Structures are given as structure tokens and as C-alpha cells.
């Protein structure tokens, strides 16, 4: 695990951007953290790193798709309670598809998360400060985590 300390929304976006620049086809990022932690801010940066823009929260629509260097599928699992719901909604077709997937409230669909992924947990430590814990599973993600924090 690597911990990154962010002192502003812009710094969180910049970390997301550096990760987005390094993701490949099938890339998967699982986001954890309370309401207002900065998950969507992180995704805005990640999208920028993929060459996409216009990110808004998909809380009510469950998924937004953006066009960048690769397609970006941005999910919000806040309102999902059972992994069966995500299965019925066909999330897995996106997860193992040709784009990059990022999921807010990933703990709500833990059972269907790909094993190789980047887990990112954002904890608020003050009004403008956040601790961002990066936990990679799989060698490609270890490389990314080292590059963006080293
Ligand atoms: N260092 C920081 N990193 C990210 N956001 C920050 C930071 N400092 C302050 N903020 C503020 O925290 C809020 C983060 O909101 P955001 O919508 O990204 O959270 P979220 O985790 O996606 O919440 P939700 O669970 O409701 O989707 C914004 O208002 C942002 O300006
Ligand atoms: Mg959000």
C-alpha cells in the first residue's frame, strides 16, 4: 500500500490524471471513501488523463460513459445493496470490456470486482486535506502505484 497526501481538490485530480494516463484497456479502479471524500474529483482527473472531460456524478444514472484515448465507464454503486443488482445491470460486461472502469462505493459490489485492480481509499483529514491509500492487486497496478507516488 502507498499513501498519498492531498492538500487540495486539484492535487487529488492531478493524482487521478497521472493514473488515468497509465491505464490500459480493461483497466479497473475501485474507489472507497465517505460522502464528499473526493471520489468524483479523483475521477475527473482520471478522465482527463484518458483525454476525456465533462465528468459529473453518476449517482442517479449508475453509469456514465466518456470518450477518451479509451472509453471510460464511471459507475456509482452508492445505491446498490446486492452484488446481484450489479450483475443484473450488466456491470461485468463493462468491467471486462475494451475500456477503463472506475467505480465509486466499490464496497457495495465487492463480490464482482475484478481481482486485478487498483483499490483507492480516500479519507478526509481536514477541510482541504485527504489521505489517499493506493492498494494495487496485480503487477501492472503495482507499477502504476509506484510511478505516480514515487
Ligand atoms: N484534497 C481534496 N481532494 C478532493 N476533494 C476535496 C479536497 N479538499 C476539499 N475537497 C472538496 O471535497 C468535495 C469532494 O466531492 P466529491 O463529489 O468529489 O466527493 P465524492 O467522494 O465523490 O462524494 P459522493 O460519495 O457524494 O459521490 C468537493 O467539494 C471538493 O471541493
Ligand atoms: Mg461522487
Amino acid at each position: 500500500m502507498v499513501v498519498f497526501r492531498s492538500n487540495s481538490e486539484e492535487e487529488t485530480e492531478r493524482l487521478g490524471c497521472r493514473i488515468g494516463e497509465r491505464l490500459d484497456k480493461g483497466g479497473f479502479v475501485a474507489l472507497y471513501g465517505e460522502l464528499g471524500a473526493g471520489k468524483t474529483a479523483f475521477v475527473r482527473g482520471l478522465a482527463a488523463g484518458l483525454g476525456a472531460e465533462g465528468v459529473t456524478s453518476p449517482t442517479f444514472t449508475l453509469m456514465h460513459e466518456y470518450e477518451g484515448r479509451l472509453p471510460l465507464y464511471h459507475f456509482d454503486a452508492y445505491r446498490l445493496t446486492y452484488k446481484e443488482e450489479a450483475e443484473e445491470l450488466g456491470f461485468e460486461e463493462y468491467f471486462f470490456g475494451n475500456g477503463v472502469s472506475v467505480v465509486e462505493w466499490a464496497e457495495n459490489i465487492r463480490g464482482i470486482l475484478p481481482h486485478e485492480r487498483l483499490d483507492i481509499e480516500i479519507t478526509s483529514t481536514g477541510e482541504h486535506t485527504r489521505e489517499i491509500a493506493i492498494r494495487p492487486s496485480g503487477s501492472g497496478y503495482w507499477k502504476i502505484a509506484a510511478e505516480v507516488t514515487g
Side-chain angles (χ1 to χ4, degrees):
M1 182 186 79
V2 201
V3 176
F4 178 91
R5 288 190 171 75
S6 164
N7 293 304
S8 67
E9 183 171 9
E10 291 69 31
E11 276 186 30
T12 299
E13 286 184 21
R14 217 170 302 137
L15 176 68
C17 184
R18 301 189 69 203
I19 290 174
E21 285 168 352
R22 289 166 171 78
L23 290 168
D24 289 325
K25 178 181 159 183
F28 194 93
V29 178
L31 297 177
Y32 310 86
E34 295 301 311
L35 286 166
K39 301 181 293 299
T40 300
F42 177 91
V43 175
R44 206 175 301 119
L46 188 144
L50 283 166
E53 54 185 23
V55 169
T56 55
S57 183
T59 306
F60 297 102
T61 47
L62 298 177
M63 196 272 279
H64 285 161
E65 183 171 349
Y66 300 96
E67 278 310 316
R69 166 172 68 81
L70 298 166
L72 171 64
Y73 310 116
H74 176 198
F75 296 86
D76 191 327
Y78 180 63
R79 299 189 309 150
L80 299 186
T81 332
Y82 301 105
K83 77 176 175 71
E84 288 73 18
E85 286 183 82
E87 281 167 359
E88 278 165 25
L89 290 161
F91 279 21
E92 284 159 298
E93 286 177 40
Y94 292 97
F95 293 176
F96 298 99
N98 289 321
V100 165
S101 298
V102 58
V103 182
E104 299 191 33
W105 296 99
E107 59 266 54
N108 287 352
I109 58 163
R110 206 178 287 283
I112 63 165
L113 298 178
H115 292 296
E116 295 226 347
R117 63 177 191 259
L118 202 52
D119 280 327
I120 298 199
E121 183 172 5
I122 309 178
T123 308
S124 179
T125 51
E127 196 182 344
H128 298 292
T129 53
R130 303 289 188 269
E131 260 185 27
I132 305 179
I134 304 174
R135 295 185 187 84
S137 305
S139 58
Y141 294 108
W142 274 102
K143 184 166 179 285
I144 291 175
E147 283 178 8
V148 301
T149 54

